[in-house]
Amino acid sequence: MTGAPHTPSLRVEEEAADWVARCDGLLPGTDEEVIAAFSAADPAFARWVGTSVTHRVEFLRLYAAWCRADRLAALAPGERTSRRRGRRATARFAATACLLLAAFIVAFVGGLPGEPEVFRTTLGEQKTVTLADGTVVELNTDTRLTAELDADGRTIELGRGEAYFDVAHDEERPFTVRAGANRVTALGTAFNVRRNADSMKLVVADGQVKVENAADTARVQPVIARKGAMVHAGTDGALLSMAEEHEIAAALSWRRGLLVFDQMDLGSIAAEFNRYNRIKLVIADRDTAAVRIGGSFAASEVESFVRILEKDFGFDVMRQGNTFVVDDRD
Amino acid sequence: MTPGELDNWFMNNVLPLEGALMRYLRRHWRDASEISDLRQETYTRIYESAGKKLPRHARAFTFMIARNLIIDRVRRARVVSIDLVADYESLPIPSAESSVEKSFSSRQELKSLQSALDTLPGRCREVVFMRKIEGRSQRETAHALGIAESTVERQVSKGVRRLADVLYGDGRGPEDGGTSLKVAKESNR
């Protein structure tokens, strides 16, 4: 941008960037109500951001970008063991499996190949981890998974919850996710798996995967699901449908901390929120639960959602201990 | 809606559209130097309007605002260059299908972030590396590099703008199916 004319928007952008940097120094990791918090801490900022809406939106724009860059942390030495950069090279050495190389790997990577690693998130927590082969896994709320990578293959056991997999290409080692009796094998890049008590929901974001039921391969045929496919797999079989782009985006919106509902019934919406929050939503009766609403909401902000239900959608909401009880006004 | 809730709505529903918005603006406004003014003004109008009444469909609303903004500017310009906007009265609003959901691939986003990091000038890169990858605080970063905290801030300020351009897909990626006229027009002032 050197040499370009200095337009008013660039000046605002520069100032906003300076303020983002100041905020990050003063109140690092502030997500909620950042402008309110920062304004309270720094009156000069309060004056600047109050000057015009343009200042405010540019600040939000850059602040959101700075927060998204947190994803870079996935490049750091990994979650449970200290693994180095250059993971892909290390993985290929492991595949050729020479004793000398195995010793080299043990020394370098700090663990034997094939040792399962466990990853967990608590209620409302989300976490991104990078596996030894370069695969990036995003864990959603209340999730538990085990990753076992060795010379012959890469296996993930999804014990509970939901995760998005961006699979590193490795023709020699198939990547398989097990969710109950269902198996998802990656033939290409990126997909999302959600495990429910006795079923699995899969969304393929890129490439293609094979879905099969390990419990009864004789009766149930494997299914190849390509980009844009949604698969519901139960104990009896799998149902594949091709989803529209906005449906895929909605299914994956949790990765941005959002829940996206397209005219979904309030009962299901409440259940979704409850996956993420200690404060639970309770719907008063069947009629209220059947009401359909739509929108995008931050998963962790139950209180904001409840306020929207009250003010914008006209519901009655009553706080009772650790729950919000929602009732349709008529 | 409280200001904080409106901020969240804006960040969650409008900012993700920036890539598509920038492509739209570049396609329909030939003066490249004014594109970020247009973007900022679009956001300002959206925010002000949403504060009064939240739009039901953020995407359609955003592009409607952008379109009206372009039309306003064309009308206000004293000398309307034929070049400026081809046929502003029939400016299309992009349909839902024409967007490319860039955030599908987390590895791709990581790669983009990583290459953005690599393009940062030396000190700036070091600072962003320490803050984001190593997770050090501002003070720890300043100590580690032997510089003042205010210098760290300055480098973060530089870095965040570059990261923002990459993350919001400033509309110039190779997957952008836009017109090839863009580059030619930039030098045509």
Side-chain angles (χ1 to χ4, degrees):
Chain A
M1 287 243 92
T2 50
H6 210 89
T7 61
S9 64
L10 286 182
R11 183 184 49 77
V12 174
E13 210 184 305
E14 272 169 16
E15 290 173 4
D18 287 342
W19 282 117
V20 167
R22 173 74 48 87
C23 180
D24 195 47
L26 201 60
L27 306 167
T30 306
D31 261 346
E32 315 286 315
E33 308 275 337
V34 61
I35 289 186
F38 191 28
S39 296
D42 189 333
F45 172 73
R47 268 195 304 280
W48 179 85
V49 81
T51 302
S52 78
V53 171
T54 306
H55 288 189
R56 192 180 186 103
V57 297
E58 193 63 44
F59 179 85
L60 289 175
R61 174 180 177 264
L62 291 175
Y63 191 76
W66 186 243
C67 290
R68 271 173 76 180
D70 282 348
R71 205 185 268 278
L72 281 167
L75 296 173
E79 266 285 312
R80 296 277 186 285
T81 60
S82 58
R83 295 181 191 272
R84 299 279 181 316
R85 223 56 71 70
R87 284 171 246 264
R88 226 175 276 255
T90 311
R92 276 196 216 112
F93 278 135
T96 52
C98 164
L99 261 180
L100 214 70
L101 286 166
F104 172 74
I105 292 161
V106 167
F108 211 65
V109 168
L112 287 166
E115 225 171 55
E117 266 191 283
V118 182
F119 301 103
R120 263 187 212 94
T121 50
T122 57
L123 204 67
E125 187 189 357
Q126 288 180 347
K127 191 187 280 184
T128 300
V129 300
T130 308
L131 305 181
D133 67 334
T135 295
V136 180
V137 183
E138 292 178 39
L139 286 80
N140 198 0
T141 178
D142 194 21
T143 295
R144 182 167 50 80
L145 67 82
T146 311
E148 192 164 340
L149 273 54
D150 59 35
D152 303 314
R154 304 174 282 172
T155 308
I156 307 285
E157 185 81 47
L158 182 61
R160 65 177 289 115
E162 182 170 19
Y164 181 87
F165 301 90
D166 198 339
V167 181
H169 188 69
D170 186 340
E171 273 161 23
E172 289 163 38
R173 297 194 295 169
F175 188 93
T176 302
V177 177
R178 304 203 286 223
N182 292 294
R183 301 265 180 283
V184 180
T185 305
L187 307 171
T189 33
F191 59 97
N192 193 85
V193 178
R194 175 161 161 181
R195 177 171 181 175
N196 304 310
D198 56 1
S199 67
M200 174 197 83
K201 180 177 159 189
L202 163 73
V203 173
V204 184
D206 200 13
Q208 58 186 33
V209 303
K210 179 170 66 169
V211 186
E212 46 195 344
N213 190 311
D216 194 348
T217 49
R219 190 159 60 98
V220 179
Q221 293 293 324
V223 164
I224 303 283
R226 292 195 172 78
K227 171 175 175 170
M230 277 184 152
V231 178
H232 287 89
T235 42
D236 283 355
L239 183 67
L240 185 152
S241 60
M242 290 311 288
E244 308 237 358
E245 216 176 291
H246 72 268
E247 287 177 291
I248 301 277
L252 299 180
S253 63
W254 66 262
R255 297 166 62 215
R256 291 178 288 134
L258 286 186
L259 300 177
V260 176
F261 306 116
D262 185 11
Q263 299 312 305
M264 186 182 283
D265 62 287
L266 193 53
S268 302
I269 291 179
E272 272 305 293
F273 267 102
N274 290 345
R275 286 175 72 204
Y276 295 82
N277 297 285
R278 252 172 224 107
I279 296 179
K280 305 292 182 192
L281 294 178
V282 172
I283 312 298
D285 54 49
R286 193 137 10 129
D287 285 343
T288 307
V291 175
R292 292 184 181 275
I293 60 177
S296 291
F297 307 98
S300 59
E301 281 164 46
V302 168
E303 315 227 10
S304 297
F305 177 64
V306 151
R307 247 196 306 279
I308 291 172
L309 285 179
E310 253 185 327
K311 300 219 169 75
D312 298 323
F313 291 108
F315 288 91
D316 269 332
V317 181
M318 196 165 47
R319 176 84 184 246
Q320 284 177 359
N322 249 356
T323 70
F324 281 109
V325 181
V326 183
D327 197 348
D328 207 356
R329 229 161 246 171
D330 23 72
Chain B
M1 267 207 151
T2 67
E5 285 163 351
L6 187 53
D7 290 347
N8 285 336
W9 173 86
F10 180 79
M11 287 191 285
N12 293 329
N13 290 284
V14 178
L15 287 177
L17 304 168
E18 182 159 318
L21 174 64
M22 291 296 270
R23 281 193 289 276
Y24 183 79
L25 292 175
R26 286 210 174 84
R27 198 168 299 153
H28 299 294
W29 189 264
R30 302 297 161 89
D31 190 343
S33 70
E34 293 181 5
I35 298 294
S36 55
D37 284 349
L38 279 173
R39 180 199 69 216
Q40 241 178 45
E41 204 177 327
T42 302
Y43 285 165
T44 303
R45 288 192 182 191
I46 290 172
Y47 192 94
E48 285 172 340
S49 182
K52 299 183 193 122
K53 183 172 157 57
L54 214 59
R56 260 215 231 147
H57 301 289
R59 190 192 167 79
F61 186 71
T62 297
F63 284 99
M64 186 190 72
I65 297 259
R67 179 175 175 273
N68 291 343
L69 197 55
I70 290 175
I71 293 175
D72 281 354
R73 283 208 175 195
V74 171
R75 286 195 187 131
R76 268 204 310 252
R78 283 172 202 268
V79 177
V80 179
S81 157
I82 299 280
D83 257 354
L84 207 55
V85 176
D87 182 1
Y88 70 88
E89 242 130 36
S90 61
L91 271 182
I93 296 178
S95 61
E97 295 84 53
S98 64
S99 83
V100 175
E101 180 67 44
K102 278 194 90 176
S103 63
F104 270 10
S105 168
S106 58
R107 212 148 45 93
Q108 201 172 337
E109 176 151 310
L110 241 188
K111 272 204 194 117
S112 306
L113 279 170
Q114 209 174 350
S115 60
L117 191 60
D118 288 339
T119 64
L120 293 176
R123 178 113 296 168
C124 180
R125 184 183 182 281
E126 277 183 311
V127 166
V128 175
F129 186 99
M130 287 193 174
R131 298 288 273 120
K132 288 295 176 185
I133 297 184
E134 295 184 349
R136 299 194 205 215
S137 72
Q138 184 175 278
R139 176 164 301 175
E140 289 166 355
T141 304
H143 277 165
L145 293 173
I147 56 180
E149 280 190 56
S150 60
T151 310
V152 172
E153 267 181 35
R154 211 168 25 249
Q155 297 304 336
V156 167
S157 174
K158 260 202 224 167
V160 68
R161 295 177 63 193
R162 179 83 192 109
L163 293 175
D165 284 341
V166 165
L167 280 173
Y168 293 130
D170 61 355
R172 277 185 275 226
E175 65 282 313
D176 176 24
T179 66
S180 56
L181 294 170
K182 286 197 290 277
V183 174
K185 288 299 172 192
E186 266 172 47
S187 56
N188 185 21
R189 301 245 182 94

